[in-house]
Amino acid sequence: MNIFKRPRIGLALGGGSAKGLAHIGVIKVFEEEGIPIDVIAGTSIGSIVGGLYALNPDPLYLENKARVFINSDAFRDLRLEKFNRNQSGGWFGRIKSRLKDGLTVAESLMKPSIVPREPTENIFKELFENKEFSDTRIPFACISLDLLSGNDVIFTAGPLWKATMASSAIPGIFPKVEYENYVLVDGGVTANVPIQAARALGADIVIGVILGRQLSPPGELSSALEVILRSEELARFKLFRLTLEEADFIIDIELPDIHWTEFGRIDELIQRGESTTRSVLDGVRKTIRGRGIFPRIFRR
């Protein structure tokens, strides 16, 4: 090992649906400030942004691709607007609300997923075409959860559209992905920020990007269902905080006022990603300097 070699920097992009467009702002600032991205990993929307950037490491291309994507017929066919009922608490809060009014219960009993498979597949095939992990110019990984074994699955090979679709498959909402011997759903269930995936790619320093870390309001907790859902949410939140400890630095983009379906707010989301990243640049640089030559040797 060459102790004088620059440490490899990995960017781990977390999930958050539309809020993940803020990742574009993070990447733009890294590019402008000359902070290299040697490897990139993503979960859910982070896998989409990360995969596109890994294929073509150009922030302008990434931004333009996102704009074309959210204005495409394939995206409109998802009909995500039906989920926008001004609920708080992200996608989990929205599920709670729909469970309470009975819609999700009925749909989940009659269908394998609320959003059909065909328009979902069309989205990912339109985004990534026939590209594979081997086509990326930056080493890339994305993470999904296998419902059979309970293990996280880190994808580093194969078709990008299928891996990112699996990484983004919010349980029950989007269709699960059957691939090889796995039955896969959104990696954010257990690893919302794919820090271990970035490490697996050889990153010495992992900078995680999260899209807010606040718990949703508890609600009235007046029914058994609300108690069950709140308990599960707290368990997920504690797991989330534990995984964050594995990162060398966290960029926390607070977006409590933006609904997970509001892809049309792309300009604001990118700007908020940029402004948050600029506000913590000193910390990012200090972390990179501090994990230089000798800390790499004695890393735990």
Side-chain angles (χ1 to χ4, degrees):
M1 178 178 65
N2 182 358
I3 64 173
F4 298 103
K5 186 178 179 180
R6 177 180 65 77
R8 288 166 60 82
I9 299 170
L11 197 59
L13 304 179
S17 296
K19 297 181 181 185
L21 295 173
H23 291 319
I24 299 172
V26 177
I27 291 170
K28 288 178 70 175
V29 172
F30 273 47
E31 176 87 11
E32 292 167 7
E33 297 295 326
I35 299 172
I37 300 172
D38 297 300
V39 304
I40 192 163
T43 295
S44 201
I45 185 68
S47 74
I48 298 172
V49 174
L52 291 172
Y53 183 71
L55 280 170
N56 187 347
D58 178 351
L60 181 60
Y61 162 82
L62 179 61
E63 183 174 345
N64 289 338
K65 185 80 172 179
R67 293 185 190 281
V68 171
F69 161 65
I70 63 179
N71 288 295
S72 67
D73 290 337
F75 181 75
R76 282 191 286 270
D77 286 344
L78 293 180
R79 298 179 59 196
L80 297 181
E81 67 277 0
K82 69 181 179 180
F83 295 106
N84 191 348
R85 300 186 179 190
N86 299 316
Q87 302 97 328
S88 61
W91 70 266
F92 193 88
R94 180 255 305 140
I95 289 174
K96 287 197 292 185
S97 177
R98 288 176 66 83
L99 280 168
K100 287 164 68 177
D101 67 22
L103 291 176
T104 294
V105 172
E107 289 178 281
S108 62
L109 289 174
M110 294 185 292
K111 304 176 182 178
S113 60
I114 295 173
V115 178
R117 178 171 301 278
E118 184 176 353
T120 305
E121 284 192 358
N122 289 342
I123 277 288
F124 288 91
K125 289 177 179 178
E126 184 169 305
L127 279 170
F128 292 100
E129 300 174 341
N130 60 348
K131 301 295 185 182
E132 304 215 353
F133 281 81
S134 57
D135 295 311
T136 62
R137 293 163 57 186
I138 296 175
F140 169 66
C142 65
I143 195 164
S144 188
L145 173 66
D146 176 28
L147 293 179
L148 301 181
S149 67
N151 294 327
D152 292 333
V153 177
I154 298 175
F155 284 94
T156 57
L160 283 165
W161 76 265
K162 181 158 282 191
T164 53
M165 179 175 163
S167 183
S168 306
I170 297 174
I173 306 300
F174 292 101
K176 64 185 184 295
V177 174
E178 297 183 12
Y179 183 65
E180 295 183 347
N181 296 319
Y182 304 121
V183 178
L184 300 163
V185 294
D186 195 314
V189 174
T190 52
N192 196 47
V193 184
I195 296 161
Q196 289 186 347
R199 297 269 188 226
L201 288 176
D204 300 300
I205 298 168
V206 177
I207 299 169
V209 185
I210 65 174
L211 307 165
R213 65 173 101 187
Q214 301 301 316
L215 276 169
S216 63
E220 297 178 1
L221 301 178
S222 58
S223 70
L225 178 60
E226 287 177 315
V227 172
I228 291 169
L229 290 172
R230 181 63 173 179
S231 300
E232 292 179 351
E233 183 179 18
L234 290 171
R236 285 168 48 85
F237 184 70
K238 286 191 173 184
L239 176 61
F240 174 55
R241 290 196 299 184
L242 283 173
T243 60
L244 292 183
E245 294 177 3
E246 301 173 1
D248 296 289
F249 191 87
I250 292 291
I251 299 174
D252 185 358
I253 307 171
E254 291 289 350
L255 301 163
D257 56 313
I258 295 181
H259 191 266
W260 74 278
T261 63
E262 293 185 295
F263 286 86
R265 297 173 70 174
I266 180 172
D267 291 323
E268 180 183 356
L269 284 159
I270 293 174
Q271 189 279 323
R272 288 169 73 170
E274 288 185 57
S275 60
T276 299
T277 305
R278 291 196 181 282
S279 72
V280 298
L281 271 176
D282 287 345
V284 172
R285 290 195 173 103
K286 183 178 179 181
T287 298
I288 293 171
R289 289 195 300 267
R291 297 301 297 269
I293 299 172
F294 294 106
R296 288 181 68 218
I297 301 173
F298 298 108
R299 261 186 60 188
R300 63 180 181 276

